[in-house]
Amino acid sequence: MTKSNLFGKGGWTPSRIESANGKTFLITGANTGAGFEATRILLSKGAKVVMLNRSPSKSHDAIATLKQEFGNEANVSYIRLDLSSLSAVRQSAKEILSQVPTIDALICNAAIAQISTQQLTEDGFESQLGVNHYGHFLLCGLLFDRINESKGRIVVVASEGHKMGLRTMQFNDMNWDKNYNPNKVYSQSKLAQMMFAYELQDKVKAHNKHVQVFVCHPGASNTTLIRESANWVTRISWSFMVKIGLAQSAEKGAYPEVMCATENNLKQRAYYGPTGLMNFGGPVGEGKLEEFAVDKEVLTKLWAVSEEATDFTWSF
């Protein structure tokens, strides 16, 4: 079930962006997939984009490709970011703050998915929760003041997968040591990202800050997210979806995050993405925000758990 589309039958498209000249966008996981396509769209509108990626070689290749398309004057750069390491996130944030004077939007796009067997980050977190949630939680906190200075935005890229698990946090075993399941753990990590965003909205309002926070999802997009890390059943199922055309292009998968980073007059307590069959694709607009994703008791507890886990207390 979706709401009537604010942008008409065809939904939101990048044609609505008149110009992004003078705007600076940071995108995590921007050297491939939807993050790369979001970078392309924003560069085509005159924006400055700073890609935050783990791989230097892939980043250099991506920049070369983009400059071949848009010319050497394309304002695209790269700062290394490894979301699986809290110390690395802190170091990257220092570099960002020293090199990027203005942040108009931070798009939290990077993710890992369906890791077939339990893996832990160097900080001892289950890897999907550690990368998708804790890494972004810390990064957003470290950059928040800079984003607030420009009355900027934080865009959290979630997933329809948030509906496929427990629909809450397994607080008594966040690492799923006793009952690890790649899909359910991925679901928890994406739900955690959403809950972080909605709790941040409440805190921004309570402290009279100027950051807008949006949540979106890319639908079923043909990106590199599901690869060798997934089990064979997931890989085969995904390959079948791609073959029969249920998975849309990575470019269209980027539309929701670009929309949330640029479009005026969007509602914040909302969930945006494709609104077609099963929300896999179709016109981009506002979808249904499930009640469990905004359960205030869980939101508040997750925030406290996340501050303790990352050893970072947000200051408003």
Side-chain angles (χ1 to χ4, degrees):
M1 177 182 176
T2 58
K3 300 180 182 294
S4 59
N5 202 310
L6 295 172
F7 309 107
K9 186 177 180 180
W12 188 93
T13 67
S15 64
R16 289 184 59 88
I17 306 172
E18 293 183 2
S19 173
N21 286 330
K23 299 288 187 180
T24 301
F25 298 86
L26 272 59
I27 307 177
T28 67
N31 54 20
T32 60
F36 178 78
E37 296 299 333
T39 302
R40 286 185 66 246
I41 293 168
L42 292 167
L43 288 174
S44 75
K45 302 295 182 177
K48 172 183 177 180
V49 180
V50 181
M51 302 191 302
L52 307 177
N53 308 320
R54 185 176 60 177
S55 169
S57 62
K58 289 181 180 179
S59 299
H60 294 150
D61 289 346
I63 290 174
T65 299
L66 291 165
K67 293 205 169 187
Q68 186 174 20
E69 179 177 359
F70 297 108
N72 287 329
E73 68 276 8
N75 201 341
V76 57
S77 59
Y78 149 74
I79 294 175
R80 187 173 187 274
L81 171 69
D82 182 356
L83 288 164
S84 70
S85 164
L86 296 182
S87 63
V89 172
R90 286 184 167 89
Q91 180 58 42
S92 296
K94 287 181 181 178
E95 292 181 37
I96 292 166
L97 291 173
S98 68
Q99 296 178 32
V100 186
T102 303
I103 302 174
D104 292 289
L106 167 62
I107 302 177
C108 300
N109 166 83
I112 58 173
Q114 280 86 29
I115 305 301
S116 58
T117 58
Q118 186 195 48
Q119 296 179 18
L120 301 180
T121 69
E122 68 177 40
D123 301 291
F125 307 132
E126 185 283 317
S127 61
Q128 295 177 87
L129 186 69
V131 170
N132 300 349
H133 172 57
Y134 287 139
H136 278 123
F137 179 89
L138 178 59
L139 180 69
C140 290
L142 292 167
L143 300 183
F144 182 81
D145 288 343
R146 181 65 48 87
I147 300 168
N148 186 63
E149 288 169 6
S150 62
K151 298 183 179 179
R153 306 184 186 198
I154 291 174
V155 179
V156 170
V157 181
S159 166
E160 280 289 89
H162 81 276
K163 303 173 184 176
M164 307 303 178
L166 299 181
R167 297 192 166 204
T168 189
M169 294 296 107
Q170 186 171 274
F171 284 120
N172 64 342
D173 183 9
M174 291 290 280
N175 278 356
W176 294 63
D177 292 325
K178 300 175 183 177
N179 58 339
Y180 184 83
N181 177 286
N183 294 319
K184 290 181 179 179
V185 173
Y186 174 67
S187 176
Q188 177 178 255
S189 75
K190 300 311 284 187
L191 178 58
Q193 286 189 268
M194 295 175 69
M195 289 183 157
F196 152 65
Y198 295 128
E199 180 68 4
L200 179 56
Q201 288 173 357
D202 290 347
K203 291 184 180 299
V204 165
K205 184 176 180 180
H207 294 89
N208 297 312
K209 297 299 181 178
H210 306 292
V211 176
Q212 297 182 75
V213 185
F214 299 99
V215 178
C216 65
H217 73 94
S221 301
N222 189 11
T223 68
T224 57
L225 184 60
I226 298 176
R227 287 295 185 265
E228 66 278 356
S229 60
N231 61 38
W232 67 271
V233 174
T234 300
R235 295 200 305 270
I236 290 173
S237 299
W238 179 249
S239 296
F240 179 71
M241 286 178 62
V242 172
K243 181 175 285 188
I244 66 174
L246 281 179
Q248 63 181 355
S249 67
E251 180 183 6
K252 288 189 175 178
Y255 284 9
E257 61 190 76
V258 176
M259 178 189 77
C260 288
T262 60
E263 182 69 33
N264 293 323
N265 302 315
L266 289 178
K267 184 167 65 176
Q268 291 188 70
R269 201 64 149 205
Y271 177 58
Y272 296 100
T275 60
L277 178 66
M278 298 177 67
N279 297 332
F280 284 172
V284 172
E286 183 181 353
K288 181 182 179 183
L289 175 56
E290 302 285 352
E291 288 296 324
F292 67 84
V294 288
D295 183 321
K296 186 61 178 177
E297 182 178 351
V298 181
L299 265 59
T300 302
K301 184 171 182 179
L302 176 63
W303 187 280
V305 167
S306 301
E307 286 195 328
E308 181 177 1
T310 58
D311 192 25
F312 178 79
T313 302
W314 284 58
S315 58
F316 292 95

